[in-house]
């Protein structure tokens, strides 16, 4: 008797695809309303800001988490999931797990924003803390997986996660088309490990993709320039962009970014803070530092605008005290 081949869609080693992004977009559309694209005039040109900070968990991460967890087999779901996250992916996984009745454990840095830690726990996930400088979150997760037999839901190095994040691009294309615009010709994305940038590169194959990172955490920018994966040089480098603090990208992300000719650019703390104030003043949106990086690159003139530029406002989970300080200055 011939043994039936496993479903290729369930292979964790598979490559993410445009078809997978479209499938993820359909799953997300059945669950959540679209986040708006908001116009903003910059030097006489219009950019379109995708307000992912308005998601139920305050960030785009809910997309990849839902796509991943809804594709678990019954056996995998019963064993639970383990995630690694600075906070936004944690909330996305916790939200999806709670809705699906799946146990979730999230490995988070001990210095993650208080509101992200609290929100993740409030959604029912168990949080395991680690030292961002002295420990490897992937190693901590591996020990938990060995003990539980669960499934790893990585923050970016996963085909489902990449496809799920790319669903934002499918939405934006449709939203622009409804305005008589064929699609974005340039996409400027906040970038940590490259899950969102890779997903958008798949979703918007005709657009130029720019990945924006905070200073000191520019491993993707340097990797794309060098043609090989490089790590962050100083894991203790201070940044307020906690959502974008990843030690290095993974081969699955880098392969997509490199194949699409994605390039990176870097923004400073002052540029990010300015972008947060602009988002508040002109769009009336609360955007966290990591979620404002792409807009910061635009406002600082580090990226030339296209005729239809899409800019991600990828998250809005910021501790109130920090946000008040930034607005006051």
């Amino acid at each position: 008797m011939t043994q039936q081949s496993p479903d290729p869609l369930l292979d964790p080693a598979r490559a993410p695809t445009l078809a997978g992004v479209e499938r993820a977009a359909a799953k997300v559309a059945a669950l959540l309303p679209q986040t708006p694209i908001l116009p903003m005039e910059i030097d006489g040109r219009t950019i379109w800001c995708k307000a992912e900070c308005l998601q139920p968990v305050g960030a785009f991460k809910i997309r990849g988490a839902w796509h991943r967890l809804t594709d678990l087999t019954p056996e995998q779901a019963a064993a639970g999931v383990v995630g690694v996250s600075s906070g936004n992916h944690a909330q996305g996984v916790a939200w999806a797990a709670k809705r699906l009745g799946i146990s979730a454990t999230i490995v988070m840095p001990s210095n993650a924003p208080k509101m992200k830690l609290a929100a993740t726990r409030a959604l029912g996930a168990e949080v395991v803390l680690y030292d961002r400088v002295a420990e490897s979150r992937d190693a901590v997760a591996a020990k938990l997986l060995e003990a539980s037999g669960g499934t790893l839901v990585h923050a970016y190095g996963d085909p489902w996660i990449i496809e799920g994040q790319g669903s934002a691009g499918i939405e934006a294309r449709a939203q622009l088309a409804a305005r008589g615009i064929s699609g974005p010709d340039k996409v400027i994305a906040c970038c940590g490990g490259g899950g969102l940038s890779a997903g958008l590169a798949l979703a918007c194959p005709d657009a130029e993709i720019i990945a924006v990172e905070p200073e000191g955490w520019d491993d993707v920018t340097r990797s794309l320039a060098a043609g090989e994966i490089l790590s962050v040089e100083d894991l203790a480098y201070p940044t307020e962009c906690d959502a974008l603090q990843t030690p290095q990208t993974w081969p699955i992300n880098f392969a997509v970014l490199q194949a699409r000719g994605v390039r990176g650019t870097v923004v400073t703390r002052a540029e990010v803070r300015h972008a947060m104030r602009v988002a508040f003043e002109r769009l009336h949106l609360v955007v966290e530092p990591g979620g404002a990086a792409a807009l910061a690159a635009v406002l600082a003139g580090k990226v030339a605008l296209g005729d239809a530029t899409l800019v991600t406002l990828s998250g809005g989970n910021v501790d109130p005290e920090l946000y008040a300080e930034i607005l006051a200055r």
Side-chain angles (χ1 to χ4, degrees), residues 83-91 105-118 120-121 126-138 140-141 155 217 235 239 241-247 319:
V84 294
S85 173
S86 294
N88 288 338
H89 177 67
Q91 293 173 76
T105 301
I106 315 295
V107 180
M108 299 180 66
S110 56
N111 64 345
K114 292 177 290 184
M115 72 165 297
K116 293 184 178 182
L117 289 166
T120 303
R121 292 185 174 114
E126 179 184 352
V127 173
V128 174
L129 300 177
Y130 78 102
D131 185 297
R132 194 192 293 271
V133 176
E135 295 181 280
S136 164
R137 67 181 186 180
D138 293 328
V140 174
W217 294 85
L235 293 175
T239 182
C241 296
D242 62 277
L244 307 182
Q245 284 184 272
T246 54
D319 282 337

Side-chain angles (χ1 to χ4, degrees), residues 8-24 64 67-68 71 156-167 193-205 249-260:
L9 290 177
L10 301 182
D11 181 3
R14 68 183 178 86
T17 64
L18 174 57
V21 175
E22 292 169 339
R23 190 169 72 91
H67 185 42
R68 183 68 190 97
D71 265 12
Y156 52 89
D158 179 289
W160 284 270
I161 296 299
I162 293 170
E163 291 170 347
Q165 319 309 28
S167 66
L196 178 60
S197 299
L200 292 172
L202 292 171
C204 304
T249 190
W250 277 28
I252 189 172
N253 307 89
F254 188 66
V256 175
L257 299 176
Q258 192 173 42
R260 281 284 279 108

